[in-house]
Amino acid sequence: MTAARLSPRGLAAGVAAFALWGLFPLYFHSLTGLPALQIIAHRIVWSALFLVAWMAVRGQLGLLSATFARPALLARLTLTALLISGNWLVWVWSVTHNHIVDSSLGYYINPLVNVLLGVIVLRERLNRAQWLSIGLAALAVLYLALLAGRPPWIAGTLALCFSLYGLVRKIISVDALPGLATETLLLMPFAVGYLGWCEWAGNGALASASPAIAALLIGSGLITAIPLFLFAYGARALPYSTVGVLQYITPTLQLLCGVALYHESFGPARAAGFALLWVALLIYAADGLWRTRTAAGTSCA
């Protein structure tokens, strides 16, 4: 039997989702000068409103009510809400403070951190190629840290927060849309309270901002939701190995934004560290594709 063909629509949706995430620096860099915490608070509020409105249009508010009726699930989603908001906060700070290259490093190493957490938490076993990938990635990160003279806290925080977020979301098995809607709704009272206090104190971003900046703050909810929808559609229509390869579109585009558009430092010495990391990721991706094809061939035999 021949292998199943890739879904063209699924592939287009997956590429679009990861490309949009990769181009996020273009959007959020425009908000440079605003406090990162206020940007995230706006992102939480407008995302929550947009997601609830979208679920209402689709007649899915019952899924949201069912989620809030399960205390154990709600407690776990509170944890994931804190993890994803922490990820957003560090990422927005890095973009608005000219550390886009550092943030791209976090999303390059994120898949390998996922694998490592699988070993530690889920007791999964790795083959030699996967251990080699993790070892080379660790060397690359150590080299880049020594080169910079400081721990890569931005990359490390982004990778760890997002990996832990993905791990918990995998365990609780909640759909992407009601899950994210619940997470933002749980954080919304705190975000609204903080923004209200900022406006009352006279340093709120929305009231004093230009119409363009105000539109960007409100639009942050929309751009948070759109790639999520595209990713959810693509993930259902594509093999897991294909999604695993496509995810590298995001940090690659972010890296290009940082270097080509915002002229962040990326000399030969730093490029050598990223090159070592790319070798590790190439080994990891190739091993994943080989094992997927082998499993498919075995099942078709």
Side-chain angles (χ1 to χ4, degrees), residues 22 38 66 115 128 142 145 152 206 209:
Q38 283 197 47
V115 174
R128 291 182 181 180
L142 178 60
L206 193 60

Side-chain angles (χ1 to χ4, degrees), residues 104-295:
S104 73
L105 175 63
Y107 290 108
Y108 271 125
I109 66 176
N110 178 70
L112 299 177
V113 175
N114 289 341
V115 174
L116 198 56
L117 283 177
V119 174
I120 297 172
V121 179
L122 303 178
R123 304 299 181 184
E124 296 176 349
R125 293 185 178 182
L126 304 184
N127 59 32
R128 291 182 181 180
Q130 290 171 323
W131 277 120
L132 177 61
S133 298
I134 291 175
L136 290 175
L139 286 176
V141 171
L142 178 60
Y143 168 79
L144 289 168
L146 293 174
L147 185 67
R150 63 180 185 278
W153 70 270
I154 293 175
T157 302
L158 289 175
L160 187 59
C161 281
F162 201 67
S163 294
L164 289 172
Y165 173 79
L167 177 65
V168 178
R169 286 293 296 266
K170 178 180 179 180
I171 293 172
I172 61 180
S173 299
V174 63
D175 289 340
L177 185 57
L180 183 61
T182 302
E183 289 164 349
T184 53
L185 285 171
L186 288 170
L187 295 171
M188 188 175 176
F190 303 99
V192 170
Y194 172 69
L195 291 175
W197 179 82
C198 289
E199 297 295 340
W200 179 81
N203 56 8
L206 193 60
S208 60
S210 66
I213 295 299
L216 287 174
L217 289 171
I218 295 172
S220 63
L222 184 63
I223 69 157
T224 296
I226 288 176
L228 175 68
F229 299 150
L230 292 170
F231 173 77
Y233 179 85
R236 287 193 300 267
L238 296 172
Y240 183 76
S241 59
T242 302
V243 176
V245 174
L246 291 179
Q247 69 182 325
Y248 297 118
I249 294 174
T250 296
T252 300
L253 287 177
Q254 290 186 5
L255 177 63
L256 289 174
C257 285
V259 175
L261 297 180
Y262 302 117
H263 311 294
E264 293 187 13
S265 174
F266 196 70
R270 197 176 193 186
F274 271 78
L276 181 59
L277 177 61
W278 292 330
V279 171
L281 293 173
L282 182 61
I283 294 172
Y284 171 75
D287 174 70
L289 287 172
W290 179 82
R291 287 187 293 112
T292 300
R293 291 182 179 179
T294 300

